[in-house]
Amino acid sequence: MNTPFTRRHGLLACALTALLGAAPAWAQAPAYPTRPITFVVPFAAGSATDQLARALGQSVSSETGQPVVIENKAGASGAIAASAAAKAPADGYTVLITTNTTHAANEHLYKKLSYDPLKDFAPITALGKGGQVMVVTTGSPFKTVGDVIAEARKSPGKLNFGSGSSSSRIAGELFQQMAKVQILHVPYKSNPNAITDLLGGQIDMMFADMSTGVPQIQGGKLRALGVTASKPSPMLPGVPTIAEAGVPGYEMGYWFAAYAPAGTPAAVVQRLNELLVRATASPAAKGFFEASGSEAFTSTPDGLARFQAAETRKWGDIIKAAGIQAE
């Protein structure tokens, strides 16, 4: 006859057998990642976003033992890359390394987007933030921000500026609005492309991110007129802020962040968050931040979602105030 004691132990024995039988399958479940990860970049090789993605990729690859492939998909203000990343399998092996261009500004600049900045992505972490620099060639007659304003007021619409990202464009549009001038906007696929035409004399000026502008400034090919941040950059001693140089209250910056396709498992998103946050403190990333005049800026996935929402409202207000019509 079975007693309650023996029945209880029998049930425990069955449960233990079931657990032990399941243990090997659980123990053998592969840990993420087990194969190469692709970082999709919305801008051309050599752009600030590309440089940061490569620096982060080195750290992630070193820590995980898996290669990180950089895939540049420039064009349409980042929409080509964002759309491709959004449609990728939600398994953690495609990560969009992007900026406020695709995830805060574009929805206000385009009537139709091939992706939804909110619904199509799982936020991973913010990565960094920085400012830009207003540049002309060293052969330009413009020596100061005041010179540009004076000429633009004298001949409205005669001058032009190039941009290869929404950050670059909005910096120029905000400048026009606050300086009360008219300057023609010329779009490019990426900032390095705009720099090339600026050096070639096809455009008059641009608002460049530090990583693409500073090397040309230090090489004697471009002249810095002012920085878009609220304070001068240690990378450009003697260069005033645009606010100090003639447009009081002017300030414009940009940020980097990482996203996975919507539906990526929460555990994988958290693992990517940990990998990327640590990667921003790696020697390669620190070198990028120092060279580009930017700084590391990280968050939790939820923190990035909240930050993105606030930035989307801010960029929308700036674009509306600048009178920019969605294309």
Side-chain angles (χ1 to χ4, degrees):
M1 175 182 288
N2 287 330
T3 66
F5 180 85
T6 56
R7 284 200 301 273
R8 188 181 305 118
H9 279 71
L11 291 172
L12 288 172
C14 290
L16 182 59
T17 300
L19 286 172
L20 289 174
W26 175 84
Q28 292 169 14
Y32 171 88
T34 60
R35 55 186 173 87
I37 301 170
T38 297
F39 282 1
V40 179
V41 178
F43 309 108
S47 63
T49 314
D50 173 75
Q51 292 179 47
L52 176 58
R54 292 177 190 276
L56 297 173
Q58 289 181 30
S59 175
V60 172
S61 180
S62 176
E63 182 170 345
T64 63
Q66 296 295 335
V68 172
V69 179
I70 306 299
E71 188 173 314
N72 298 92
K73 288 183 173 293
S77 290
I80 293 174
S83 181
K87 294 178 174 66
D91 54 12
Y93 290 95
T94 299
V95 176
L96 180 66
I97 305 295
T98 190
T99 70
N100 43 267
T101 290
T102 62
H103 278 65
N106 277 358
E107 67 176 87
H108 303 291
L109 294 172
Y110 298 93
K111 292 178 181 177
K112 283 190 176 181
L113 280 179
S114 54
Y115 67 96
D116 188 309
L118 292 177
K119 296 179 182 178
D120 290 345
F121 295 92
I124 298 173
T125 180
L127 297 169
K129 58 183 177 181
Q132 301 172 84
V133 56
M134 183 180 184
V135 291
V136 296
T137 62
T138 49
S140 169
F142 306 128
K143 302 295 193 299
T144 67
V145 171
D147 291 342
V148 173
I149 293 173
E151 180 62 25
R153 288 177 178 170
K154 178 182 175 182
S155 305
K158 178 183 176 181
L159 298 179
N160 59 44
F161 75 98
S163 75
S165 70
S166 292
S167 298
S168 181
R169 178 183 180 182
I170 299 308
E173 298 287 0
L174 183 62
F175 177 80
Q176 291 185 76
Q177 178 198 357
M178 297 186 70
K180 295 180 173 57
V181 296
Q182 294 179 30
I183 304 175
L184 179 67
H185 171 242
V186 181
Y188 288 86
K189 286 186 176 181
S190 200
N191 279 342
N193 303 110
I195 287 280
T196 297
D197 272 10
L198 177 60
L199 293 171
Q202 279 74 49
I203 55 176
D204 297 310
M205 71 192 78
M206 73 173 291
F207 293 79
D209 53 84
M210 294 288 188
S211 61
T212 52
V214 169
Q216 302 293 343
I217 295 167
Q218 294 175 338
K221 295 181 179 180
L222 292 182
R223 176 185 299 132
L225 302 185
V227 296
T228 66
S230 60
K231 57 185 179 181
S233 169
M235 297 183 67
L236 298 169
V239 177
T241 66
I242 291 176
E244 294 170 333
V247 189
Y250 182 95
E251 181 183 356
M252 175 55 59
Y254 62 88
W255 46 267
F256 305 100
Y259 295 84
T264 299
V268 173
V269 170
Q270 185 57 39
R271 172 68 169 150
L272 282 166
N273 174 275
E274 294 165 358
L275 288 169
L276 287 168
V277 167
R278 283 196 291 272
T280 62
S282 68
K286 285 182 177 179
F288 164 79
F289 290 128
E290 291 174 3
S292 64
S294 53
E295 60 183 319
F297 164 53
T298 60
S299 68
T300 62
D302 286 345
L304 174 56
R306 291 192 298 272
F307 175 76
Q308 179 188 345
E311 284 290 295
T312 298
R313 289 192 295 271
K314 184 183 86 171
W315 282 75
D317 290 343
I318 293 172
I319 290 167
K320 182 178 179 181
I324 301 171
Q325 299 298 313
E327 298 175 1

